[in-house]
Amino acid sequence: AAAGGGWAAVCEKFRTARTLSAVESRKDPETEPYRSKYSARALLQEVKQLLSAAEEGGEARLGGGREAGPHRLSPDCVSLYIQAQNNLGILWSERDEIKTAQTYLESAEALYNQYMKEDGNPPLDPSEHFLAEKEKLTDQERSRRFEKAYTHTLYYLAQVYQHLEMIEKAAQYCHTTLKRQLEYCGYYPVEWALNAATLSQYYLSKQCFMESRHCLAAASVIFSQAGQVPSAEDNETEQDQQDLRQRKAEIARCWIKYCLNLLQSARKLLEDNIGELDPDRQLELKAQRKKEEDEKEKGRKKAVLFGTSDICDSVLAMEEKVSSVYPLDFQEAREIFLVGQNYVQEAKEFFQVDGYVTDHIEIVQDHSALFKVLAFFEEDYERRCKMHKRRIDMLEPIYADLNPQYYLLISRQLQFELADTYYEMMDLKVAIGNRLEELDSHTIKKINSLAQLAIKYYELFLDSLRNPDKVFPEELEEDVLRPAMVAKFHIARLYGKLITSDSKKQLENMQTSLEYYAFLVDYCEKYPDAVRAVETELELSKEMVGLLPTRMERLRAKLCPFI
């Protein structure tokens, strides 16, 4: 190929191949889906032959100063090498050869870092090798494309590390990718927002609430751009709108988890050994927080900020709507609870029972969990009871409509949660009753009613573990061992709480209670591995198995003093 006309022909073939592959292939008939791709491949093979012939013929330059085989760190080739390694990384990933993909992608990352250290000037974009001098890109555009290729390297590496279960490294690379996408304006708002919301859940698992909130605030801000950015085809379909609504609801669910986790973590810090709020610990933590808060926020903020100044302002405004520090009293907890509750409503708008049964129930369970953790911060027992009643009101109708045959796992979860909620309400009513000089008939009726309902749901849960012949399993599966033992323990305790003036009935209740306590003791003797799952309950059960027979003897003696 002569340096002039020959080079022009090479460039023309290359451009035609690109058009065939990127544009014409979309119009290929279903009967020949790769027709244009095959034509493009044939042209590129011709280009390759022409270039090889020119190289063998000793032409060191092809069309305006192109070296035939430059070093991979030269500005002419570095971007091409990185993009080739990115593509090889993708290909090997798709073949499930993740380690091979990792090698290519880490090599691309190292090459970028080395080039930036040794040269740093905007390198040639691969497409420029076949452009006339006047069509060459500006340095600014070259730089943008080069940085975009490197952002892709990091994006693919994040996924590779995720596959290899190098979770911390995956999160770090995901965060850097998101940051760079904003910096270089190379992102789709919905995809970016979902990735940021997903990253927030990683930070949540590490109890990094400030970082988690920052990712969620950024996700919400960037997602709001989705409606403003015109799509490729401006005529958005109903399906597109539906997808947007779903993604918005998914981000709302991430916010719910954030609020719930923050409240639950605060509860763990504040609770005493019987699960109540420890006032001394509360005062200690309040004093400690005042001292630490300012320095901590300033230091960590620098590391996580996303985006340009206008985006940062919107993100900061979003962050100010909800705290990222542990709530230490009811008022602070309530503010976080209300934010979570708003997102519950937003998520439920899309995930409705009709069509999204599982998602809808999970959101309602999270709503219930928000009430449960808020009740921990409430000092007034009557108001606490009302919060648990709200949980009952939202869970019972859902449970009633659920077919356990199709939704066994969810059905069990609801049975257990309803039982636990009634159990907690019964305990509160007993505590309220203990403050009275004398228990009135209304309180007695209420305590008994709550205890019976708790027993009913615990029994339903235990019945769900029986086989088709209604036989309770000899040995419990690992995943239901603790819930089943706790249910047995709570039923034993509930029978002991039932109030009756009928001594015969009282004796029957004590006998039932003893049987349930004995079940725990006997089971743990038979299967010693079960002990670690129910250490506290087992200790108390052994105590009760020792005490109850004596109490029952005394009661029998009162009933029949002459026997």
Side-chain angles (χ1 to χ4, degrees), residues 206-276:
K206 295 288 178 190
Q207 305 249 305
C208 298
F209 292 102
M210 189 195 298
E211 289 83 345
S212 180
R213 178 186 67 172
H214 186 68
C215 289
L216 281 171
S220 293
V221 167
I222 298 297
F223 185 86
S224 67
Q225 297 176 357
Q228 304 155 18
V229 178
S231 61
E233 299 93 13
D234 264 333
N235 52 339
E236 276 200 352
T237 63
E238 177 54 39
Q239 186 56 47
D240 294 332
Q241 285 302 314
Q242 181 78 344
D243 287 347
L244 271 182
R245 284 194 291 272
Q246 180 169 345
R247 303 298 174 226
K248 189 176 184 218
E250 283 166 1
I251 293 168
R253 289 184 74 177
C254 291
W255 273 112
I256 297 167
K257 293 293 185 195
Y258 169 83
C259 295
L260 188 51
N261 274 272
L262 184 54
L263 288 164
Q264 287 171 337
S265 299
R267 180 179 63 194
K268 276 181 195 156
L269 280 178
L270 288 163
E271 67 187 351
D272 57 21
N273 58 356
I274 57 160
E276 288 292 316

Side-chain angles (χ1 to χ4, degrees), residues 39 67 112 197 250 269 408 411 416:
S39 303
E67 292 182 11
Y112 170 87
E250 283 166 1
L269 280 178
L408 178 62
S411 185
F416 198 89

Side-chain angles (χ1 to χ4, degrees), residues 106-176:
E106 284 177 348
S107 170
E109 180 189 25
L111 182 56
Y112 170 87
N113 289 326
Q114 193 183 348
Y115 177 80
M116 292 307 279
K117 190 178 168 187
E118 292 178 14
D119 189 316
N121 290 310
L124 230 66
D125 186 70
S127 65
E128 289 187 88
H129 290 288
F130 297 94
L131 290 178
E133 205 60 46
K134 61 174 190 280
E135 294 173 305
K136 288 291 177 66
L137 304 175
T138 62
D139 273 358
Q140 193 180 1
E141 181 57 20
R142 281 175 178 173
S143 177
R144 191 189 71 77
R145 292 190 186 190
F146 186 52
E147 294 300 343
K148 188 179 178 182
Y150 178 58
T151 303
H152 283 154
T153 307
L154 300 177
Y155 177 71
Y156 303 134
L157 271 171
Q159 291 176 57
V160 160
Y161 292 138
Q162 181 83 27
H163 269 290
L164 296 171
E165 292 183 8
M166 298 162 74
I167 305 301
E168 215 153 308
K169 209 164 185 185
Q172 179 196 327
Y173 274 72
C174 180
H175 201 131
T176 308

Side-chain angles (χ1 to χ4, degrees), residues 175 199-200 203-204 206-218 255 258 262 292-306 315-316 319 322-326:
H175 201 131
L199 181 60
S200 79
Y203 285 126
L204 211 50
K206 295 288 178 190
Q207 305 249 305
C208 298
F209 292 102
M210 189 195 298
E211 289 83 345
S212 180
R213 178 186 67 172
H214 186 68
C215 289
L216 281 171
W255 273 112
Y258 169 83
L262 184 54
E292 286 174 5
E293 211 171 19
D294 298 339
E295 305 142 36
K296 196 167 157 192
E297 184 116 357
K298 273 180 213 152
R300 280 165 66 192
K301 262 284 158 61
K302 286 178 198 156
V304 297
L305 279 177
F306 275 133
V315 171
L316 290 170
E319 286 180 313
V322 61
S323 172
S324 69
V325 294
Y326 294 123

Side-chain angles (χ1 to χ4, degrees), residues 277-547:
L277 195 147
D278 181 337
D280 295 337
R281 183 88 179 107
Q282 186 182 37
L283 287 170
E284 182 193 322
L285 285 167
K286 280 192 171 183
Q288 187 184 321
R289 182 171 73 184
K290 197 153 182 58
K291 209 164 68 177
E292 286 174 5
E293 211 171 19
D294 298 339
E295 305 142 36
K296 196 167 157 192
E297 184 116 357
K298 273 180 213 152
R300 280 165 66 192
K301 262 284 158 61
K302 286 178 198 156
V304 297
L305 279 177
F306 275 133
T308 53
S309 57
D310 55 333
I311 287 174
C312 279
D313 291 345
S314 306
V315 171
L316 290 170
M318 191 81 198
E319 286 180 313
E320 279 165 17
K321 293 179 182 177
V322 61
S323 172
S324 69
V325 294
Y326 294 123
L328 299 177
D329 56 35
F330 180 77
Q331 197 45 48
E332 290 175 4
R334 184 174 175 272
E335 284 171 18
I336 295 163
F337 165 85
L338 289 172
V339 172
Q341 185 166 249
N342 280 338
Y343 283 112
V344 165
Q345 302 312 335
E346 193 176 300
K348 274 164 68 179
E349 273 176 37
F350 179 83
F351 291 110
Q352 297 182 10
V353 168
D354 196 9
Y356 295 97
V357 180
T358 310
D359 293 291
H360 182 85
I361 292 173
E362 281 173 10
I363 293 163
V364 174
Q365 284 175 303
D366 280 345
H367 196 187
S368 166
L370 282 167
F371 269 108
K372 181 181 181 178
V373 73
L374 181 65
F376 166 82
F377 290 90
E378 177 54 76
E379 290 171 19
D380 183 283
Y381 284 180
E382 286 289 2
R383 283 178 61 186
R384 210 191 274 193
C385 233
K386 286 193 175 91
M387 289 179 194
H388 290 305
K389 179 69 171 74
R390 288 287 301 274
R391 295 172 64 204
I392 296 289
D393 292 344
M394 63 178 78
L395 295 170
E396 262 186 343
I398 279 181
Y399 173 70
D401 289 343
L402 203 62
N403 184 336
Q405 199 180 332
Y406 300 114
Y407 298 101
L408 178 62
L409 194 62
I410 297 173
S411 185
R412 280 180 184 166
Q413 286 172 358
L414 292 172
Q415 286 160 348
F416 198 89
E417 190 172 352
L418 282 162
D420 257 6
T421 312
Y422 276 123
Y423 181 83
E424 221 156 322
M425 286 172 77
M426 182 275 302
D427 257 352
L428 286 165
K429 286 294 179 190
V430 168
I432 292 163
N434 288 341
R435 291 174 179 175
L436 303 171
E437 281 182 27
E438 195 182 334
L439 275 179
D440 56 83
S441 61
H442 173 74
T443 308
I444 290 171
K445 207 172 168 185
K446 194 71 194 162
I447 289 169
N448 285 346
S449 163
L450 290 167
Q452 295 284 11
L453 284 161
I455 290 168
K456 169 192 153 182
Y457 281 108
Y458 280 130
E459 291 289 17
L460 281 167
F461 170 76
L462 291 168
D463 285 345
S464 79
L465 303 176
R466 295 178 185 275
N467 69 14
D469 297 328
K470 306 287 180 226
V471 177
F472 197 75
E474 184 74 19
E475 187 175 2
L476 292 155
E477 295 284 335
E478 185 69 33
D479 60 331
V480 293
L481 172 63
R482 176 158 175 80
M485 299 299 252
V486 167
K488 293 272 189 186
F489 176 77
H490 281 180
I491 292 171
R493 191 168 172 267
L494 285 158
Y495 272 105
K497 292 284 181 185
L498 290 169
I499 303 165
T500 175
S501 53
D502 180 343
S503 297
K504 198 171 171 218
K505 188 71 189 154
Q506 196 181 347
L507 201 57
E508 278 175 30
N509 290 342
M510 288 169 91
Q511 180 58 41
T512 309
S513 190
L514 177 61
E515 285 165 15
Y516 277 93
Y517 283 127
F519 177 90
L520 259 85
V521 178
D522 296 344
Y523 188 92
C524 289
E525 273 177 20
K526 193 172 181 182
Y527 303 104
D529 283 354
V531 174
R532 58 193 161 77
V534 280
E535 280 178 32
T536 312
E537 291 82 1
L538 178 61
E539 204 178 307
L540 290 165
S541 297
K542 282 179 177 173
E543 206 175 296
M544 294 308 286
V545 166
L547 289 170

